[in-house]
Amino acid sequence: MSDNILLEVKNLKTYFHLDEGIVKAVDGVSFKIEKGKTFGIVGESGCGKSITAHSIMQILPPRGRIEEGEIILHRESGTVDIAKIKPNSEEARKIRGNEIAMIFQEPMTALAPVYTVGNQIQEAILLHQNVKKEQAREIAIDMLRKVGIPKPEERIDSYPFEMSGGMRQRAMIAMAICCNPSLLIADEPTTALDVTTQAQILDLLRTLQKDMGMATLMITHDMGVIAEIADDVAVMYLGKIVETGPVSEIFYNPKHPYTIALLKSIPKVGEKKRKRLESIEGMVPSPYELPTGCRFHTRCPSYMAGICDRAEPSAVEVNDGHKVSCFLYGGNENE
Amino acid sequence: MNEKILLEVKGLKKYFPIKKGFWKKIEGYVKAVDDVSFYIREGETLGLVGESGSGKTTTGRCILRAIDPTEGEISFYLDDEKIDIASLNNKELKQIRRHMQMIFQDPYSSLNPRMTVKEIIGEPLLVNDVAKGRELEDRVAELMKQVGLSPEYMIRYPHAFSGGQRQRIGIARALALNPKLIVCDEPVSALDVSIQAQTLNLLQDLQEAYQLTYLFIAHDLGVVEHISDRVAVMYVGRIVEIAETEELFKNPKHPYTEALLAAVPKPDPKYRETSRILSGEVADPANPPSGCYFHPRCPYATDICKEKYPEFKNIKKDGEGHFVSCHHAEMLNLQGIE
């Protein structure tokens, strides 16, 4: 079992030290990503899903810091705890972009506008692989072809502004996979794209994963994308994972009131129209004034006074690999 | 919903010139909206879907005369009197604008950060001489209650509110003058799912309470299906299909509609990898393909599709009809959503 684990995040805490106070963006998150599988993190804005990804990449903004926890990367030559490496060290650079690569939401802002796409892909290749410039160009063209860009020999010399949103996202994926990473972090890769383009990109990610055997960490707010691509899912709320498990368990057997409400509040295509959506009351609390106890208790329909606002529930395994942090399922006995 | 038509758009066109060089010579036109016709009944919601660049926002803006249409007729029926919005001058426009309002996509950029909520919601009332002073304050408080905001926050600035609350402020502002028609331009696409559900419910409640008519512009098919009575699908500046919501989703007649429906990721893992993927990209509205604009991506295209733009015709005679612009609409057996 443990041979299959690629990345293990244990009790990760990433805090931001701001003038207004400490924001606990990620507060004790643990999960495992298996080799070649897709792990999805889903949640609303501000739940800490992107910061989790940025912590793994060690590209946190200046005020953010990993306070506690381990991020263990298993590789053939042994294991390494990413949380212990300095973000700007030689070692971190060797991992970043080489073993772990990342694609971002908005390809126009993630790509440099003044360099050609080819230039930017070649830079990554030259940094991490021992090849000559001409070879790097060949690899870059190959990569562009792999991600389905037509006429890659010509497109390699285009600037990002000359490409459409879908093409830019493909170019960014080419850049991310050019060093054959073992883990690809995709932070809302399709959010800025149209539905037909989104379907193309998701299909591309699936095919690439099959071909190259890399694992993917998919960060999204869209349950539809999770259903489409993930093998295992973690649902985050205010810096904590409230529920995690295989994709079928999360969709067909959701346990946490937040997951249940989230699934109900999506207007699904093909559903009876015109009935009221079941929405979650209220809004996400301010990160400076986190609720006591279970963080969801202020909006929870199954709130139990005197229990939920007192202590934080711990994760309980309700089914094989399906864990939920809620007192409804006996979150207090475990600790 | 009743039978009366509130808004009728006929042959609406909006071409943006492409200017090049020092003399700003006109090199061509982006046909953002190209010959669009539809109607909306009183109290009805018409959903307008399409991908980016399909011209749905431009259509909405033309109707409000936020931009001037190049050609076409926009008839607004007010107390049985027909008013052609496309030909009004500025003074007449001001009179009619109180009957049609807009809700914008981005609640962060559509509210002036230097105005308090009271000033934002009260501005339309002040500008149109509807209320001022104490009366204005009462009306703003009432509007805030209607959209689920506490009136004590009246003196705050937009930055103190979350995205969902800001969108409510935008809705209150649109409601201020008791309009008949509200153009909702992607009102929920910037919001989180839980807040999105709240906002959609609010829009439905308001529609029931005030018999509002919505033109609901969105790219999310789930949202559009949920809120609309009828749906129009746009592709490269043209409407390719209009039908009642259930009909359109169950029984699409245009290959583009079918592809759109198939491309939506369903929040249910059992549909995984069943979606057929549309290849290629949206055509350039400055230089659209010959014949049917969709033919380079269409799996059913034949020779005639490359030569002639299909007529927009009704293929279902009962009910609201089913208008579609495809040469093969009657022959194709397309797959909808069960």
Side-chain angles (χ1 to χ4, degrees):
Chain A
M1 173 72 187
S2 70
D3 299 343
N4 255 331
I5 304 293
L6 176 69
L7 186 89
E8 225 173 317
V9 176
K10 282 187 198 158
N11 196 28
L12 177 70
K13 292 186 179 175
T14 303
Y15 295 173
F16 284 79
H17 298 268
L18 304 177
D19 299 340
E20 295 90 340
I22 296 172
V23 174
K24 299 178 176 177
V26 178
D27 201 10
V29 160
S30 310
F31 59 87
K32 288 176 188 153
I33 303 177
E34 281 179 55
K35 278 182 190 147
K37 289 278 175 67
T38 300
F39 189 85
I41 299 183
V42 65
E44 297 181 276
S45 19
C47 72
K49 54 191 191 305
S50 285
I51 297 303
T52 306
H54 289 196
S55 304
I56 297 171
M57 278 297 266
Q58 286 274 25
I59 47 167
L60 290 166
R63 292 290 187 92
R65 230 181 23 225
I66 298 177
E67 301 283 321
E68 230 188 284
E70 294 166 67
I71 304 169
I72 296 165
L73 178 69
H74 297 269
R75 45 187 180 188
E76 274 160 33
S77 56
T79 60
V80 60
D81 184 358
I82 298 174
K84 298 280 183 300
I85 322 176
K86 275 216 174 94
N88 52 2
S89 65
E90 191 64 28
E91 214 183 346
R93 288 183 183 193
K94 270 192 186 145
I95 296 172
R96 198 187 296 141
N98 190 21
E99 289 177 69
I100 305 178
M102 186 159 178
I103 52 178
F104 299 87
Q105 172 171 0
E106 198 9 279
M108 194 62 213
T109 48
L111 293 169
V114 293
Y115 295 103
T116 62
V117 164
N119 233 318
Q120 299 180 53
I121 301 176
Q122 284 167 54
E123 188 190 351
I125 299 169
L126 289 170
L127 261 176
H128 295 296
Q129 294 175 26
N130 193 12
V131 291
K132 291 214 179 65
K133 244 185 155 175
E134 296 77 45
Q135 285 169 295
R137 191 179 161 88
E138 286 305 308
I139 299 174
I141 292 175
D142 249 16
M143 285 299 151
L144 287 175
R145 187 174 297 123
K146 212 167 184 170
V147 297
I149 290 183
K151 293 191 223 147
E153 302 82 7
E154 291 167 31
R155 290 309 249 169
I156 190 166
D157 294 317
S158 329
Y159 288 90
F161 73 88
E162 295 173 308
M163 297 179 140
S164 69
M167 282 299 149
R168 281 201 285 266
Q169 196 57 282
R170 283 173 195 267
M172 197 152 71
I173 294 172
M175 195 185 307
I177 61 167
C178 66
C179 294
N180 220 340
S182 45
L183 175 67
L184 177 72
I185 301 178
D187 188 1
E188 304 258 10
T190 58
T191 310
L193 304 174
D194 282 317
V195 269
T196 55
T197 321
Q198 167 170 293
Q200 291 172 0
I201 296 291
L202 288 178
D203 188 55
L204 172 68
L205 285 173
R206 243 187 328 241
T207 333
L208 287 174
Q209 195 173 22
K210 247 180 237 159
D211 292 356
M212 308 177 59
M214 62 185 175
T216 308
L217 174 62
M218 175 64 89
I219 312 268
T220 181
H221 69 279
D222 189 339
M223 279 290 192
V225 171
I226 290 287
E228 193 79 25
I229 203 164
D231 297 304
D232 296 289
V233 187
V235 182
M236 280 187 81
Y237 184 76
L238 278 178
K240 290 208 178 273
I241 292 181
V242 295
E243 186 164 11
T244 174
V247 68
S248 54
E249 279 285 312
I250 298 292
F251 280 89
Y252 301 133
N253 189 21
K255 290 288 183 213
H256 198 281
Y258 179 63
T259 316
I260 296 171
L262 207 57
L263 284 168
K264 276 188 184 158
S265 63
I266 316 168
K268 293 175 197 68
V269 170
E271 209 170 57
K272 268 264 166 288
K273 59 166 204 132
R274 278 279 161 187
K275 67 164 197 240
R276 282 179 70 90
L277 288 168
E278 285 182 46
S279 62
I280 306 174
E281 288 304 310
M283 46 182 184
V284 181
S286 150
Y288 301 114
E289 301 153 30
L290 290 176
T292 56
C294 170
R295 291 181 183 181
F296 188 56
H297 86 255
T298 49
R299 305 172 76 191
C300 185
S302 338
Y303 164 60
M304 296 175 283
I307 301 172
C308 298
D309 51 353
R310 294 273 166 81
E312 280 186 33
S314 55
V316 185
E317 190 151 2
V318 287
N319 226 332
D320 197 23
H322 183 176
K323 285 186 198 155
V324 56
S325 303
C326 180
F327 289 117
L328 288 176
Y329 309 98
N332 45 354
E333 282 110 45
N334 259 37
E335 198 84 320
Chain B
M1 199 190 6
N2 59 32
E3 295 296 297
K4 255 166 71 185
I5 286 176
L6 180 75
L7 180 84
E8 191 170 17
V9 175
K10 266 189 201 155
L12 181 70
K13 289 181 186 173
K14 177 67 195 177
Y15 294 175
F16 293 104
I18 307 168
K19 292 172 184 164
K20 279 232 173 96
F22 183 72
W23 302 106
K24 300 265 190 292
K25 209 176 103 203
I26 294 174
E27 294 252 305
Y29 291 93
V30 174
K31 297 177 177 175
V33 178
D34 198 8
D35 202 5
V36 158
S37 305
F38 60 88
Y39 61 87
I40 311 179
R41 294 185 192 282
E42 233 167 80
E44 182 186 45
T45 303
L46 177 71
L48 196 56
V49 279
E51 296 182 275
S52 20
S54 62
K56 48 194 197 305
T57 298
T58 309
T59 306
R61 295 194 166 196
C62 282
I63 289 168
L64 297 178
R65 279 285 297 277
I67 46 176
D68 290 334
T70 310
E71 225 183 284
E73 209 178 285
I74 305 165
S75 315
F76 188 75
Y77 293 89
L78 189 66
D79 304 325
D80 292 324
E81 194 191 338
K82 177 175 158 181
I83 301 162
D84 183 14
I85 294 171
S87 63
L88 295 182
N89 63 29
N90 283 344
K91 217 177 128 197
E92 291 164 326
L93 256 183
K94 206 184 153 191
Q95 293 292 316
I96 195 82
R97 279 228 172 100
R98 65 161 68 185
H99 301 292
M100 16 190 241
Q101 293 292 325
M102 189 157 182
I103 300 170
F104 298 90
Q105 170 172 10
D106 184 358
Y108 290 85
S109 58
S110 62
L111 303 177
N112 186 339
R114 288 164 185 267
M115 284 165 86
T116 61
V117 173
K118 184 180 141 194
E119 286 168 323
I120 290 171
I121 302 176
E123 197 179 24
L125 299 166
L126 213 56
V127 170
N128 286 286
D129 289 326
V130 176
K132 55 180 178 218
R134 183 82 222 152
E135 203 186 328
L136 180 84
E137 208 160 290
D138 290 345
R139 178 83 180 112
V140 171
E142 191 190 318
L143 283 163
M144 287 181 76
K145 270 189 229 146
Q146 275 169 13
V147 298
L149 290 172
S150 170
E152 53 200 84
Y153 297 147
M154 206 186 280
I155 45 164
R156 295 201 184 178
Y157 288 90
H159 72 83
F161 295 88
S162 70
Q165 288 174 317
R166 285 179 202 220
Q167 200 55 294
R168 286 168 190 262
I169 297 171
I171 294 171
R173 173 176 63 185
L175 284 177
L177 292 164
N178 289 323
K180 285 197 168 312
L181 174 72
I182 298 185
V183 175
C184 310
D185 189 3
E186 304 258 14
V188 295
S189 48
L191 306 175
D192 275 318
V193 267
S194 71
I195 307 299
Q196 175 176 310
Q198 290 174 4
T199 312
L200 287 174
N201 285 341
L202 173 68
L203 285 171
Q204 280 184 359
D205 294 345
L206 291 170
Q207 179 167 44
E208 257 168 55
Y210 302 102
Q211 281 82 50
L212 294 169
T213 307
Y214 292 142
L215 175 62
F216 196 94
I217 301 169
H219 68 275
D220 185 330
L221 288 153
V223 170
V224 167
E225 186 191 24
H226 179 77
I227 202 158
S228 309
D229 298 302
R230 284 186 306 132
V231 176
V233 182
M234 281 188 87
Y235 187 72
V236 197
R238 289 179 182 242
I239 290 183
V240 295
E241 187 167 5
I242 303 186
E244 280 172 274
T245 309
E246 228 187 300
E247 165 82 9
L248 187 107
F249 278 76
K250 276 206 177 126
N251 196 8
K253 285 293 175 199
H254 197 285
Y256 178 61
T257 314
E258 183 194 39
L260 262 189
L261 290 172
V264 188
K266 325 268 176 310
D268 189 340
K270 77 171 181 241
Y271 292 112
R272 186 178 288 200
E273 288 185 53
T274 53
S275 61
R276 282 144 304 131
I277 287 150
L278 192 61
S279 60
E281 291 186 17
V282 177
D284 178 5
N287 186 17
S290 63
C292 172
Y293 293 171
F294 188 59
H295 87 257
R297 305 175 77 189
C298 182
Y300 312 103
T302 56
D303 285 341
I304 186 170
C305 303
K306 292 179 190 140
E307 285 151 23
K308 215 175 123 218
Y309 193 89
E311 196 192 332
F312 193 54
K313 54 182 184 273
N314 190 359
I315 55 163
K316 179 171 170 263
K317 296 296 177 226
D318 55 326
E320 294 276 359
H322 190 144
F323 294 85
V324 57
S325 175
C326 174
H327 290 299
H328 308 303
E330 275 132 323
M331 276 97 82
L332 290 176
N333 189 15
L334 301 181
Q335 206 180 338
I337 301 260
E338 296 313 311

